[in-house]
Amino acid sequence: MAIKISAVVTVYNEELNIKPLVERITAALDGMEYEIVYVDDGSTDNTLRELYSIDHPRLKVVEFRKNYGQSAALMAGIEAAEGEFIATMDGDLQNDPSDIPAMLKLAEEGDYDMVAGERAKRKDGWIFRKIPSMIANFIIRNSSGVHLKDYGCALRVFRSEIAKDMGIYGELHRFIPVLAHLEGARIIQIPVKHHAREFGESKYGLGRTFKVVSDLLLMLFLKQYMQRPMHLFGNTGVLLLLVGVLINGYLGVLKILGQDIWGKPLLILGLMLVLGGIQLITIGIVVEIQMRTYYESQQKRPYKIRRVTKGGTEQKTTANATT
């Protein structure tokens, strides 16, 4: 029988949380076809020993050779998942698996591609968890155009084709709703339960807020200019080039009139603008060629098909057709 939902859990040094969470997932998903996919991100404690000690017919363990980070672990878990839907969560017992059935039902009945959780009553400290999260949420929400209240909640339910098409590299797990939006996903967010950490230590802190800014620049480029990079580099380059030409033209007229323009800061600025404009235009052309190569060499399409209907009957599209 086909697997309805895959629960993907990424863990790093969470040995005391393994068995309780497996038990909670099993209880929450009882009565449906499911699997549990654990990804161990190079744990240095007894996390793997705990995982391998569990005799569970629906448990799958993906073991990394070393610590690669949460984004890589999440991507590996999604690739290993075989369910029609994929539910992701952290392995620290703060997410509650009992929310998954309601999220799955909403995704099916509401025809949503992603149902994201919102930690409405978050059980974390203010200084090192809530405040950095509020800052990050504000920055992402107002810059990306994807208006969710909580981007950091790991509890999410996706349609498998959307989850597998997302390119979760580096530390882009923070931007999963934005990545899903780039794939044309219909997204909704609902309040979910959140628990205080019982065992182990948090791997997050104030420092992640600063990382959000640099990752956000990449996300904005992917969202706005992935398919038309020349509009970003070329337009800026042309503007700088024109301003530089006007400045140099003005100085040229002064020179003809007999004035000494050597050493003027305006001359240096004009030259820098001309050179900068030429460089940006050149970069735009190169990146544009790379984007064309990216799409054409892999037979990708610059659009996303949600579904095809014929005579009132829905025709499912393949992953290749919607990439």
Side-chain angles (χ1 to χ4, degrees):
M1 188 177 293
I3 297 173
K4 185 66 175 179
I5 188 165
S6 300
V8 175
V9 185
T10 59
V11 289
Y12 176 70
N13 292 347
E14 299 285 0
E15 57 179 305
L16 297 178
N17 295 319
I18 299 299
K19 289 183 179 179
L21 184 54
V22 171
E23 292 172 358
R24 295 180 191 183
I25 295 174
T26 302
L29 302 184
D30 185 41
M32 65 178 72
E33 290 298 318
Y34 71 94
E35 67 174 353
I36 304 173
V37 181
Y38 260 83
V39 183
D40 177 70
D41 188 20
S43 295
T44 56
D45 62 357
N46 292 321
T47 295
L48 274 174
R49 182 181 299 176
E50 289 292 316
L51 283 170
Y52 290 136
S53 69
I54 299 175
D55 184 13
H56 195 302
R58 302 190 183 191
L59 175 62
K60 181 187 298 182
V61 179
V62 178
E63 178 183 347
F64 277 2
R65 293 183 180 272
K66 64 176 185 177
N67 180 257
Y68 289 98
Q70 187 175 356
S71 291
L74 195 58
M75 188 173 180
I78 289 173
E79 288 181 350
E82 300 178 30
E84 179 184 349
F85 289 85
I86 296 175
T88 63
M89 68 180 71
D90 284 334
D92 54 11
L93 295 181
Q94 293 194 268
N95 298 138
D96 198 322
S98 65
D99 288 309
I100 295 178
M103 298 173 78
L104 176 61
K105 182 179 180 181
L106 180 59
E108 290 187 295
E109 295 181 355
D111 198 22
Y112 290 104
D113 299 302
M114 186 182 94
V115 179
E118 176 198 348
R119 297 164 293 184
K121 297 181 179 179
R122 187 173 176 181
K123 308 296 183 180
D124 282 322
W126 275 97
I127 296 178
F128 295 107
R129 297 298 299 276
K130 287 187 179 180
I131 291 178
S133 181
M134 291 172 62
I135 295 172
N137 287 333
F138 177 82
I139 294 173
I140 297 171
R141 180 169 52 249
N142 289 280
S143 301
S144 68
V146 181
H147 297 285
L148 300 181
K149 294 181 179 180
D150 185 2
Y151 292 85
C153 182
L155 185 58
R156 305 180 181 98
V157 172
F158 307 82
R159 293 186 184 274
S160 178
E161 61 269 21
I162 289 292
K164 291 180 182 294
D165 279 348
M166 292 188 304
I168 310 175
Y169 303 99
E171 294 191 18
L172 295 183
H173 57 274
R174 302 184 186 92
F175 298 93
I176 282 179
V178 183
L179 291 172
H181 180 73
L182 291 176
E183 296 297 326
R186 294 185 60 200
I187 304 172
I188 189 172
Q189 189 169 58
I190 62 172
V192 296
K193 293 181 283 294
H194 190 253
H195 305 290
R197 176 181 273 273
E198 299 178 32
F199 310 106
E201 298 179 354
S202 173
K203 282 73 177 177
Y204 304 104
L206 190 62
R208 68 174 178 162
T209 305
F210 301 102
K211 296 179 182 178
V212 168
V213 177
S214 58
D215 288 337
L216 183 61
L217 295 176
L218 173 61
M219 292 307 305
L220 292 177
F221 173 78
L222 294 177
K223 184 175 186 294
Q224 299 291 337
Y225 300 105
M226 175 68 173
Q227 297 175 14
R228 45 191 178 90
M230 191 62 183
H231 288 187
L232 172 63
F233 298 104
N235 290 351
T236 306
V238 169
L239 177 62
L240 294 181
L241 181 60
L242 289 177
V243 174
V245 169
L246 288 175
I247 291 175
N248 291 332
Y250 166 73
L251 293 174
V253 172
L254 293 181
K255 181 66 175 177
I256 293 173
L257 295 176
Q259 296 188 29
D260 183 16
I261 63 172
W262 180 252
K264 287 183 178 291
L266 193 60
L267 175 61
I268 299 174
L269 176 62
L271 293 174
M272 291 178 62
L273 290 176
V274 169
L275 293 175
I278 293 173
Q279 287 182 327
L280 285 175
I281 293 172
T282 304
I283 291 173
I285 294 173
V286 172
V287 177
E288 187 78 30
I289 293 173
Q290 288 182 326
M291 288 300 101
R292 291 177 181 270
T293 303
Y294 167 77
Y295 282 109
E296 295 176 7
S297 64
Q298 302 182 55
Q299 297 184 338
K300 291 181 178 289
R301 296 292 181 267
Y303 52 80
K304 312 291 180 183
I305 297 176
R306 181 170 178 80
R307 65 168 61 90
V308 177
T309 57
K310 183 178 181 181
T313 303
E314 179 180 335
Q315 307 291 319
K316 288 194 174 183
T317 58
T318 64
N320 289 336
T322 59
T323 304

